[in-house]
Amino acid sequence: MMRVTFPSTRSFSGFNAPGRVECDVLGLEVVEGAIPGDLDGTFFRVGPDPQWPPLHGDDIPLNGDGMACAFRFKDGRVDFKSRYIETQKFMAERAAGRALFGVYRNPYTDDASVQGLSRGTANTNLVWHAGKLLALKEDSRPVVLDPHTLATLDDSYDFGGQLNSPTFTAHPKIDPVTGDMFGFGYEAKGEATPDIAFYVIGADGKVSSESWFAAPYPSMVHDFGVTREHVVFAISPLVADLELLKKGGPHFTWDSSKDVYVGVFPRPDIGNNGVRDIRWFRAPTCFSSHVMNAYTDRGPGGEILVHFDTPAGDMVVFPFFPSKNGERFDQTRAVPYMERWTFDLSNPGDAFQRRKLAPFEAEFPRVDDRYLMGKHRHAWASSIHDGATKGITGGSVSGKNFNALAHFDLATGVTTQYYAGDGCGIQEPTFIPRPGSSEEGDGYVVALVNHLAEARNDLILLDARDFKKGPVARVRLPLRLRNGLHGNWVAAADLEG
Ligand code: V55
Ligand code: FE
Protein backbone atom coordinates (compact mmCIF):
# COMPACT_ATOMS: atom_id res chain seq x y z
CA MET A 1 0.00 0.00 0.00
CA MET A 2 1.31 3.42 -0.86
CA ARG A 3 -0.06 6.47 0.86
CA VAL A 4 0.47 9.77 -0.95
CA THR A 5 0.67 12.68 1.49
CA PHE A 6 2.52 15.93 0.87
CA PRO A 7 4.22 17.61 3.82
CA SER A 8 2.42 20.58 5.37
CA THR A 9 5.47 22.82 4.89
CA ARG A 10 5.57 26.17 3.07
CA SER A 11 6.58 24.60 -0.27
CA PHE A 12 3.56 22.27 -0.27
CA SER A 13 0.70 24.13 1.38
CA GLY A 14 -1.62 27.09 1.02
CA PHE A 15 -1.63 28.59 -2.47
CA ASN A 16 1.43 26.48 -3.23
CA ALA A 17 -0.16 23.14 -2.45
CA PRO A 18 0.64 20.84 -5.39
CA GLY A 19 -1.78 21.38 -8.28
CA ARG A 20 -1.06 18.27 -10.42
CA VAL A 21 -3.92 18.99 -12.80
CA GLU A 22 -3.38 18.26 -16.49
CA CYS A 23 -6.41 19.52 -18.32
CA ASP A 24 -8.00 21.36 -21.21
CA VAL A 25 -10.52 24.12 -20.61
CA LEU A 26 -11.95 25.51 -23.81
CA GLY A 27 -13.33 29.03 -23.85
CA LEU A 28 -12.34 30.44 -20.48
CA GLU A 29 -14.95 32.76 -19.05
CA VAL A 30 -14.32 36.46 -19.75
CA VAL A 31 -15.61 38.31 -16.66
CA GLU A 32 -14.40 41.86 -17.39
CA GLY A 33 -13.68 43.76 -20.59
CA ALA A 34 -12.96 41.79 -23.74
CA ILE A 35 -10.08 39.88 -25.29
CA PRO A 36 -8.95 41.92 -28.32
CA GLY A 37 -10.28 40.00 -31.31
CA ASP A 38 -7.09 40.41 -33.32
CA LEU A 39 -4.86 38.69 -30.73
CA ASP A 40 -3.84 35.42 -32.34
CA GLY A 41 -1.19 33.45 -30.50
CA THR A 42 -0.29 31.59 -27.35
CA PHE A 43 0.88 32.68 -23.92
CA PHE A 44 3.10 29.86 -22.68
CA ARG A 45 4.17 29.72 -19.04
CA VAL A 46 5.66 27.10 -16.74
CA GLY A 47 6.26 26.50 -13.08
CA PRO A 48 7.20 23.83 -10.57
CA ASP A 49 4.42 21.46 -9.53
CA PRO A 50 5.63 18.36 -7.66
CA GLN A 51 4.27 15.07 -8.98
CA TRP A 52 5.00 13.18 -5.74
CA PRO A 53 5.82 13.98 -2.13
CA PRO A 54 9.56 14.60 -1.75
CA LEU A 55 11.97 11.74 -1.12
CA HIS A 56 13.49 13.41 1.92
CA GLY A 57 10.67 14.97 3.95
CA ASP A 58 10.63 18.51 2.56
CA ASP A 59 11.87 20.30 -0.52
CA ILE A 60 12.46 23.82 -1.79
CA PRO A 61 9.96 25.41 -4.20
CA LEU A 62 12.44 25.49 -7.10
CA ASN A 63 12.50 21.69 -7.38
CA GLY A 64 8.97 20.78 -8.48
CA ASP A 65 8.25 19.03 -11.78
CA GLY A 66 7.63 21.37 -14.69
CA MET A 67 3.95 21.93 -15.48
CA ALA A 68 3.60 23.63 -18.84
CA CYS A 69 0.58 25.83 -19.51
CA ALA A 70 -0.69 27.28 -22.77
CA PHE A 71 -3.31 30.00 -23.15
CA ARG A 72 -4.35 30.02 -26.80
CA PHE A 73 -5.87 33.37 -27.84
CA LYS A 74 -7.96 33.53 -31.02
CA ASP A 75 -11.05 35.45 -32.13
CA GLY A 76 -11.63 36.91 -28.67
CA ARG A 77 -11.55 33.50 -27.01
CA VAL A 78 -8.93 31.89 -24.74
CA ASP A 79 -8.44 28.12 -24.46
CA PHE A 80 -6.33 26.67 -21.67
CA LYS A 81 -4.13 23.57 -21.61
CA SER A 82 -1.81 22.23 -18.89
CA ARG A 83 0.53 19.25 -19.17
CA TYR A 84 3.34 17.87 -17.09
CA ILE A 85 6.63 17.95 -18.94
CA GLU A 86 7.81 14.38 -19.41
CA THR A 87 11.39 14.78 -18.25
CA GLN A 88 13.56 11.75 -17.51
CA LYS A 89 12.95 12.48 -13.81
CA PHE A 90 9.19 12.75 -14.25
CA MET A 91 8.92 9.51 -16.25
CA ALA A 92 11.08 7.44 -13.88
CA GLU A 93 9.07 8.67 -10.91
CA ARG A 94 5.77 8.17 -12.75
CA ALA A 95 6.71 4.53 -13.34
CA ALA A 96 7.77 4.10 -9.71
CA GLY A 97 4.74 5.88 -8.28
CA ARG A 98 6.96 7.88 -5.94
CA ALA A 99 9.91 10.27 -5.79
CA LEU A 100 13.30 8.77 -6.66
CA PHE A 101 15.29 11.98 -7.01
CA GLY A 102 16.39 13.69 -3.80
CA VAL A 103 17.06 17.29 -2.91
CA TYR A 104 17.39 20.21 -5.35
CA ARG A 105 20.49 19.82 -7.53
CA ASN A 106 22.15 17.21 -5.33
CA PRO A 107 22.57 13.90 -7.17
CA TYR A 108 24.20 12.40 -4.07
CA THR A 109 20.75 12.30 -2.44
CA ASP A 110 19.05 10.27 -5.21
CA ASP A 111 17.82 6.69 -5.20
CA ALA A 112 20.51 4.49 -6.81
CA SER A 113 18.07 3.39 -9.53
CA VAL A 114 18.11 6.80 -11.25
CA GLN A 115 21.85 7.27 -11.57
CA GLY A 116 22.77 8.69 -14.96
CA LEU A 117 19.29 10.06 -15.73
CA SER A 118 18.81 13.78 -16.24
CA ARG A 119 17.77 15.47 -12.99
CA GLY A 120 16.18 18.35 -14.93
CA THR A 121 12.62 19.39 -14.12
CA ALA A 122 12.14 21.81 -17.07
CA ASN A 123 10.27 24.07 -14.64
CA THR A 124 11.65 27.56 -15.32
CA ASN A 125 10.90 28.94 -18.77
CA LEU A 126 9.29 28.15 -22.14
CA VAL A 127 11.10 29.74 -25.07
CA TRP A 128 10.28 29.56 -28.78
CA HIS A 129 13.36 29.49 -31.04
CA ALA A 130 14.23 28.02 -34.44
CA GLY A 131 10.88 26.24 -34.70
CA LYS A 132 11.12 24.56 -31.29
CA LEU A 133 9.41 25.19 -27.96
CA LEU A 134 12.18 24.76 -25.38
CA ALA A 135 11.30 23.96 -21.76
CA LEU A 136 14.26 25.09 -19.70
CA LYS A 137 15.91 24.44 -16.35
CA GLU A 138 19.42 25.71 -15.71
CA ASP A 139 20.77 22.42 -14.29
CA SER A 140 20.20 20.42 -17.47
CA ARG A 141 19.69 20.54 -21.23
CA PRO A 142 16.57 21.88 -22.90
CA VAL A 143 13.46 19.73 -23.27
CA VAL A 144 11.49 20.15 -26.50
CA LEU A 145 7.68 20.38 -26.40
CA ASP A 146 5.05 20.30 -29.12
CA PRO A 147 3.64 23.84 -29.00
CA HIS A 148 0.11 22.69 -29.90
CA THR A 149 -0.28 19.67 -27.59
CA LEU A 150 2.47 20.39 -25.02
CA ALA A 151 3.59 16.78 -25.51
CA THR A 152 7.26 16.19 -24.77
CA LEU A 153 9.21 15.52 -27.98
CA ASP A 154 12.81 15.34 -26.70
CA ASP A 155 13.76 15.00 -23.03
CA SER A 156 17.37 16.18 -23.48
CA TYR A 157 18.02 18.34 -26.51
CA ASP A 158 21.62 19.19 -27.44
CA PHE A 159 20.90 21.20 -30.62
CA GLY A 160 21.72 18.17 -32.74
CA GLY A 161 24.94 17.20 -30.96
CA GLN A 162 26.26 20.77 -30.78
CA LEU A 163 25.86 21.46 -27.03
CA ASN A 164 28.91 20.34 -25.08
CA SER A 165 27.68 21.77 -21.79
CA PRO A 166 25.50 19.43 -19.70
CA THR A 167 23.52 22.49 -18.60
CA PHE A 168 21.74 25.34 -20.38
CA THR A 169 20.25 28.52 -18.94
CA ALA A 170 16.52 29.10 -18.55
CA HIS A 171 17.09 32.73 -19.64
CA PRO A 172 18.48 32.70 -23.19
CA LYS A 173 18.25 36.00 -25.09
CA ILE A 174 16.96 36.15 -28.65
CA ASP A 175 18.32 38.95 -30.82
CA PRO A 176 15.24 40.62 -32.32
CA VAL A 177 17.28 41.74 -35.34
CA THR A 178 19.16 38.54 -36.30
CA GLY A 179 17.04 35.85 -34.61
CA ASP A 180 20.21 34.45 -32.99
CA MET A 181 19.75 32.95 -29.53
CA PHE A 182 22.44 33.69 -26.93
CA GLY A 183 22.69 31.20 -24.08
CA PHE A 184 25.08 29.55 -21.69
CA GLY A 185 25.55 26.65 -19.35
CA TYR A 186 27.12 27.11 -15.92
CA GLU A 187 28.71 24.48 -13.68
CA ALA A 188 29.50 23.31 -17.19
CA LYS A 189 32.40 21.02 -16.21
CA GLY A 190 30.37 19.27 -13.51
CA GLU A 191 28.65 19.99 -10.21
CA ALA A 192 29.99 23.10 -8.45
CA THR A 193 32.56 23.97 -11.14
CA PRO A 194 33.05 27.69 -11.97
CA ASP A 195 33.08 27.01 -15.72
CA ILE A 196 30.65 28.71 -18.08
CA ALA A 197 30.08 27.64 -21.68
CA PHE A 198 28.72 30.48 -23.80
CA TYR A 199 26.76 29.83 -27.00
CA VAL A 200 25.29 31.67 -29.94
CA ILE A 201 22.67 29.60 -31.77
CA GLY A 202 21.51 30.85 -35.15
CA ALA A 203 17.92 31.30 -36.28
CA ASP A 204 18.42 27.96 -38.06
CA GLY A 205 19.08 26.18 -34.73
CA LYS A 206 22.79 25.66 -35.50
CA VAL A 207 25.44 26.63 -32.94
CA SER A 208 27.52 29.40 -34.54
CA SER A 209 29.78 30.16 -31.57
CA GLU A 210 30.90 28.30 -28.45
CA SER A 211 33.40 29.69 -25.95
CA TRP A 212 34.36 28.87 -22.40
CA PHE A 213 35.43 30.98 -19.44
CA ALA A 214 35.63 30.60 -15.66
CA ALA A 215 33.77 32.73 -13.12
CA PRO A 216 35.76 33.91 -10.05
CA TYR A 217 33.86 31.30 -7.99
CA PRO A 218 31.10 28.73 -8.62
CA SER A 219 27.65 30.18 -7.95
CA MET A 220 24.08 30.33 -9.24
CA VAL A 221 24.14 32.16 -12.59
CA HIS A 222 20.45 32.40 -13.27
CA ASP A 223 20.37 35.09 -15.94
CA PHE A 224 22.64 37.38 -17.96
CA GLY A 225 22.53 40.40 -20.23
CA VAL A 226 23.18 40.83 -23.95
CA THR A 227 23.40 44.22 -25.66
CA ARG A 228 23.87 44.92 -29.36
CA GLU A 229 27.63 44.96 -28.66
CA HIS A 230 28.35 43.22 -25.34
CA VAL A 231 27.56 40.29 -23.05
CA VAL A 232 27.27 40.76 -19.27
CA PHE A 233 27.49 38.10 -16.56
CA ALA A 234 26.85 39.10 -12.93
CA ILE A 235 28.27 36.67 -10.38
CA SER A 236 26.83 37.05 -6.89
CA PRO A 237 27.81 34.84 -3.97
CA LEU A 238 25.08 32.21 -3.81
CA VAL A 239 27.91 29.69 -3.98
CA ALA A 240 28.13 25.99 -4.83
CA ASP A 241 30.43 23.58 -3.01
CA LEU A 242 31.11 19.97 -4.07
CA GLU A 243 32.09 18.84 -0.55
CA LEU A 244 28.74 20.04 0.79
CA LEU A 245 26.93 18.19 -2.01
CA LYS A 246 28.76 14.96 -1.15
CA LYS A 247 27.53 15.30 2.42
CA GLY A 248 23.94 15.54 1.14
CA GLY A 249 23.82 19.30 1.74
CA PRO A 250 22.14 22.09 -0.24
CA HIS A 251 23.43 22.97 -3.69
CA PHE A 252 23.78 26.66 -2.82
CA THR A 253 24.72 28.64 0.26
CA TRP A 254 24.89 32.41 0.72
CA ASP A 255 28.48 33.60 1.26
CA SER A 256 28.35 37.31 2.07
CA SER A 257 32.14 37.41 2.56
CA LYS A 258 32.51 37.39 -1.21
CA ASP A 259 32.30 40.37 -3.54
CA VAL A 260 30.07 40.57 -6.59
CA TYR A 261 31.92 40.28 -9.92
CA VAL A 262 30.53 41.32 -13.27
CA GLY A 263 32.15 40.05 -16.44
CA VAL A 264 31.67 42.13 -19.60
CA PHE A 265 32.89 40.98 -23.01
CA PRO A 266 32.24 41.89 -26.65
CA ARG A 267 29.72 39.85 -28.62
CA PRO A 268 31.63 37.20 -30.55
CA ASP A 269 29.23 37.40 -33.51
CA ILE A 270 30.36 40.88 -34.48
CA GLY A 271 33.91 39.98 -35.41
CA ASN A 272 36.08 40.16 -32.30
CA ASN A 273 37.63 38.22 -29.43
CA GLY A 274 34.49 37.49 -27.40
CA VAL A 275 35.23 35.98 -23.98
CA ARG A 276 38.99 36.35 -24.51
CA ASP A 277 38.45 40.07 -23.90
CA ILE A 278 36.38 39.63 -20.74
CA ARG A 279 36.78 42.41 -18.15
CA TRP A 280 35.77 41.77 -14.54
CA PHE A 281 34.19 44.61 -12.56
CA ARG A 282 33.78 44.28 -8.81
CA ALA A 283 31.52 45.57 -6.00
CA PRO A 284 30.77 44.71 -2.35
CA THR A 285 28.44 41.77 -1.82
CA CYS A 286 24.80 41.87 -2.93
CA PHE A 287 22.36 39.54 -4.69
CA SER A 288 21.30 39.91 -8.31
CA SER A 289 19.53 37.20 -10.24
CA HIS A 290 17.22 38.37 -13.03
CA VAL A 291 18.02 40.82 -15.79
CA MET A 292 15.45 43.26 -17.19
CA ASN A 293 17.60 44.17 -20.20
CA ALA A 294 21.06 45.51 -20.99
CA TYR A 295 22.24 47.95 -23.64
CA THR A 296 25.42 49.66 -24.78
CA ASP A 297 25.40 53.44 -25.03
CA ARG A 298 27.89 56.24 -25.63
CA GLY A 299 28.54 58.84 -22.94
CA PRO A 300 28.89 62.58 -23.60
CA GLY A 301 32.64 62.17 -24.12
CA GLY A 302 32.25 59.10 -26.32
CA GLU A 303 32.74 56.69 -23.39
CA ILE A 304 31.42 53.19 -23.98
CA LEU A 305 28.78 52.64 -21.32
CA VAL A 306 27.13 49.28 -20.73
CA HIS A 307 23.86 49.54 -18.79
CA PHE A 308 22.53 46.44 -17.03
CA ASP A 309 19.13 46.61 -15.28
CA THR A 310 18.63 44.06 -12.52
CA PRO A 311 16.62 43.64 -9.32
CA ALA A 312 19.25 43.64 -6.56
CA GLY A 313 19.07 43.06 -2.83
CA ASP A 314 21.57 43.28 0.02
CA MET A 315 21.32 39.54 0.56
CA VAL A 316 19.97 36.45 -1.22
CA VAL A 317 16.20 36.64 -1.66
CA PHE A 318 15.61 32.90 -1.26
CA PRO A 319 14.98 32.08 2.43
CA PHE A 320 15.62 28.37 1.86
CA PHE A 321 19.31 28.58 0.97
CA PRO A 322 21.32 28.68 4.21
CA SER A 323 24.12 31.08 4.93
CA LYS A 324 27.69 29.85 4.76
CA ASN A 325 28.78 32.06 7.64
CA GLY A 326 25.95 31.52 10.12
CA GLU A 327 24.28 34.78 9.09
CA ARG A 328 20.49 34.72 9.70
CA PHE A 329 18.08 35.20 6.80
CA ASP A 330 16.95 38.80 7.12
CA GLN A 331 13.64 39.61 5.45
CA THR A 332 14.42 43.33 5.63
CA ARG A 333 17.67 42.98 3.64
CA ALA A 334 16.50 40.31 1.22
CA VAL A 335 14.55 42.92 -0.71
CA PRO A 336 15.16 43.35 -4.44
CA TYR A 337 14.85 46.85 -5.91
CA MET A 338 15.22 47.53 -9.62
CA GLU A 339 18.68 48.99 -10.19
CA ARG A 340 20.72 50.18 -13.15
CA TRP A 341 24.34 49.02 -13.08
CA THR A 342 26.62 50.96 -15.43
CA PHE A 343 30.03 49.79 -16.62
CA ASP A 344 32.31 52.35 -18.23
CA LEU A 345 34.49 50.41 -20.66
CA SER A 346 36.57 53.51 -21.39
CA ASN A 347 37.71 53.63 -17.76
CA PRO A 348 40.41 51.16 -16.69
CA GLY A 349 39.12 50.65 -13.10
CA ASP A 350 37.05 47.71 -11.83
CA ALA A 351 34.36 49.80 -10.09
CA PHE A 352 30.86 50.36 -11.46
CA GLN A 353 27.89 52.56 -10.70
CA ARG A 354 24.62 51.39 -9.12
CA ARG A 355 21.43 53.41 -8.96
CA LYS A 356 17.84 52.56 -7.97
CA LEU A 357 15.13 52.81 -10.63
CA ALA A 358 12.13 52.74 -8.25
CA PRO A 359 11.50 52.96 -4.50
CA PHE A 360 9.51 49.72 -4.21
CA GLU A 361 10.37 46.03 -4.17
CA ALA A 362 10.26 44.48 -7.65
CA GLU A 363 11.26 41.22 -9.35
CA PHE A 364 10.46 39.27 -12.54
CA PRO A 365 11.40 42.21 -14.79
CA ARG A 366 10.53 42.11 -18.50
CA VAL A 367 10.72 44.37 -21.53
CA ASP A 368 9.15 44.46 -25.00
CA ASP A 369 11.38 41.74 -26.45
CA ARG A 370 11.26 43.38 -29.89
CA TYR A 371 13.52 45.99 -28.26
CA LEU A 372 15.71 43.57 -26.26
CA MET A 373 19.45 44.38 -26.37
CA GLY A 374 18.80 48.01 -27.33
CA LYS A 375 17.94 51.01 -25.18
CA HIS A 376 14.58 50.21 -23.60
CA ARG A 377 12.08 52.79 -22.48
CA HIS A 378 9.29 50.56 -21.14
CA ALA A 379 9.61 47.70 -18.69
CA TRP A 380 7.36 45.75 -16.36
CA ALA A 381 7.84 43.69 -13.21
CA SER A 382 6.03 42.06 -10.32
CA SER A 383 6.20 44.36 -7.33
CA ILE A 384 4.96 45.09 -3.86
CA HIS A 385 2.41 47.83 -3.43
CA ASP A 386 1.64 49.14 0.02
CA GLY A 387 -1.76 47.53 -0.01
CA ALA A 388 -3.76 45.25 2.23
CA THR A 389 -1.83 42.08 1.39
CA LYS A 390 1.57 43.48 2.38
CA GLY A 391 3.32 40.97 4.55
CA ILE A 392 1.30 37.95 3.38
CA THR A 393 3.68 35.09 2.67
CA GLY A 394 3.32 31.78 0.88
CA GLY A 395 3.49 33.53 -2.46
CA SER A 396 6.32 33.46 -4.95
CA VAL A 397 9.44 31.28 -4.85
CA SER A 398 11.08 33.80 -2.52
CA GLY A 399 8.13 33.57 -0.12
CA LYS A 400 7.06 37.12 -0.95
CA ASN A 401 3.57 37.95 -2.06
CA PHE A 402 3.96 40.26 -5.03
CA ASN A 403 0.62 42.05 -5.08
CA ALA A 404 1.09 44.51 -7.94
CA LEU A 405 2.56 44.89 -11.39
CA ALA A 406 4.84 47.82 -12.06
CA HIS A 407 5.27 49.71 -15.31
CA PHE A 408 8.59 51.56 -15.62
CA ASP A 409 8.74 54.44 -18.09
CA LEU A 410 12.48 55.03 -18.13
CA ALA A 411 12.17 58.06 -20.40
CA THR A 412 10.02 60.03 -17.95
CA GLY A 413 11.20 58.24 -14.81
CA VAL A 414 7.57 57.62 -13.85
CA THR A 415 6.67 54.22 -12.39
CA THR A 416 3.03 53.13 -12.16
CA GLN A 417 1.72 50.20 -10.18
CA TYR A 418 -1.38 48.13 -10.84
CA TYR A 419 -2.57 46.74 -7.50
CA ALA A 420 -3.96 43.23 -7.93
CA GLY A 421 -6.55 43.63 -5.17
CA ASP A 422 -6.97 42.73 -1.51
CA GLY A 423 -6.15 39.10 -0.82
CA CYS A 424 -4.43 38.72 -4.19
CA GLY A 425 -1.00 38.04 -5.53
CA ILE A 426 0.26 38.41 -9.08
CA GLN A 427 2.76 36.48 -11.16
CA GLU A 428 5.30 37.57 -13.79
CA PRO A 429 4.09 40.04 -16.45
CA THR A 430 4.70 39.11 -20.09
CA PHE A 431 4.44 41.62 -22.92
CA ILE A 432 2.17 40.92 -25.91
CA PRO A 433 2.64 43.23 -28.93
CA ARG A 434 -0.54 44.69 -30.36
CA PRO A 435 -0.95 43.08 -33.79
CA GLY A 436 0.31 45.42 -36.48
CA SER A 437 2.27 47.60 -34.07
CA SER A 438 6.00 48.15 -33.92
CA GLU A 439 6.35 51.02 -31.43
CA GLU A 440 7.98 49.99 -28.16
CA GLY A 441 5.43 49.00 -25.52
CA ASP A 442 2.45 49.21 -27.87
CA GLY A 443 0.48 46.23 -26.63
CA TYR A 444 -0.57 44.43 -23.48
CA VAL A 445 0.92 42.74 -20.49
CA VAL A 446 -0.60 39.44 -19.48
CA ALA A 447 -0.30 38.01 -15.96
CA LEU A 448 -1.92 35.51 -13.64
CA VAL A 449 -3.63 36.96 -10.58
CA ASN A 450 -3.66 34.65 -7.55
CA HIS A 451 -6.84 34.78 -5.47
CA LEU A 452 -5.20 33.48 -2.32
CA ALA A 453 -8.28 32.64 -0.25
CA GLU A 454 -10.36 31.28 -3.13
CA ALA A 455 -7.38 29.24 -4.37
CA ARG A 456 -8.06 30.25 -7.95
CA ASN A 457 -6.59 32.52 -10.63
CA ASP A 458 -7.64 35.11 -13.12
CA LEU A 459 -5.65 35.92 -16.21
CA ILE A 460 -5.58 39.66 -16.83
CA LEU A 461 -4.53 41.79 -19.78
CA LEU A 462 -3.46 45.38 -19.11
CA ASP A 463 -2.64 48.11 -21.59
CA ALA A 464 1.15 47.90 -21.29
CA ARG A 465 1.65 51.69 -21.26
CA ASP A 466 -1.46 52.64 -19.31
CA PHE A 467 -1.94 50.69 -16.09
CA LYS A 468 -4.24 53.39 -14.68
CA LYS A 469 -7.21 52.42 -16.80
CA GLY A 470 -7.33 48.91 -15.30
CA PRO A 471 -7.65 45.55 -17.06
CA VAL A 472 -8.53 45.48 -20.75
CA ALA A 473 -9.77 41.96 -20.05
CA ARG A 474 -10.08 39.59 -17.12
CA VAL A 475 -10.49 35.88 -17.71
CA ARG A 476 -11.60 33.60 -14.89
CA LEU A 477 -9.81 30.31 -14.38
CA PRO A 478 -11.79 27.53 -12.73
CA LEU A 479 -8.63 26.16 -11.12
CA ARG A 480 -5.54 27.19 -9.18
CA LEU A 481 -2.18 27.63 -10.88
CA ARG A 482 0.43 27.84 -8.13
CA ASN A 483 3.19 30.40 -8.53
CA GLY A 484 5.09 29.76 -11.71
CA LEU A 485 8.30 31.21 -13.05
CA HIS A 486 8.43 32.49 -16.59
CA GLY A 487 6.44 32.68 -19.78
CA ASN A 488 6.41 34.10 -23.28
CA TRP A 489 3.92 35.09 -25.95
CA VAL A 490 4.29 33.45 -29.37
CA ALA A 491 2.21 34.83 -32.23
CA ALA A 492 0.36 32.19 -34.24
CA ALA A 493 2.18 33.28 -37.39
CA ASP A 494 5.52 32.51 -35.70
CA LEU A 495 4.36 29.08 -34.52
CA GLU A 496 3.23 28.17 -38.01
CA GLY A 497 6.06 29.84 -39.92
C1 V55 B 1 15.52 30.29 -10.03
C2 V55 B 1 14.55 29.37 -10.34
C3 V55 B 1 14.89 28.04 -10.45
C4 V55 B 1 16.19 27.64 -10.28
C5 V55 B 1 17.16 28.57 -10.01
O1 V55 B 1 14.22 32.23 -9.80
C6 V55 B 1 16.81 29.90 -9.87
C7 V55 B 1 15.26 31.71 -9.87
C8 V55 B 1 12.68 27.30 -10.86
O2 V55 B 1 14.01 27.03 -10.71
O3 V55 B 1 16.51 26.33 -10.36
FE1 FE C 1 14.18 33.24 -13.74
Side-chain angles (χ1 to χ4, degrees), residues 385-392 401 403 419 421-424:
H385 179 279
D386 240 358
T389 55
K390 194 176 162 76
I392 288 183
N401 184 55
N403 61 10
Y419 176 56
D422 294 354
C424 291

Side-chain angles (χ1 to χ4, degrees), residues 4 60 65 137 163 170 208 224 324 347:
V4 176
I60 68 171
D65 298 287
K137 174 74 173 182
L163 185 71
S208 57
F224 74 137
K324 195 155 194 104
N347 187 320

Side-chain angles (χ1 to χ4, degrees), residues 124 171 222 290 364 485-486:
T124 316
H171 285 287
H222 182 63
H290 283 128
F364 294 104
L485 275 307
H486 305 292

Side-chain angles (χ1 to χ4, degrees), residues 279-282 344-352:
R279 257 185 78 179
W280 289 101
F281 293 83
R282 188 170 176 163
D344 182 350
L345 299 187
S346 309
N347 187 320
D350 68 358
F352 62 92

Side-chain angles (χ1 to χ4, degrees), residues 62 104 123-124 137-138 220 222 290 318 485:
L62 306 181
Y104 175 76
N123 69 9
T124 316
K137 174 74 173 182
E138 64 196 49
M220 180 189 281
H222 182 63
H290 283 128
F318 303 117
L485 275 307

Side-chain angles (χ1 to χ4, degrees), residues 288-313:
S288 143
S289 169
H290 283 128
V291 179
M292 178 182 265
N293 185 34
Y295 69 94
T296 303
D297 207 357
R298 294 295 180 278
E303 312 89 286
I304 302 170
L305 302 176
V306 177
H307 300 292
F308 177 84
D309 291 356
T310 180

Side-chain angles (χ1 to χ4, degrees), residues 61 71 130 169-170 226 252 323 377 384 396 459:
F71 293 87
T169 181
V226 181
F252 294 113
S323 156
R377 170 176 177 179
I384 294 191
S396 70
L459 187 78

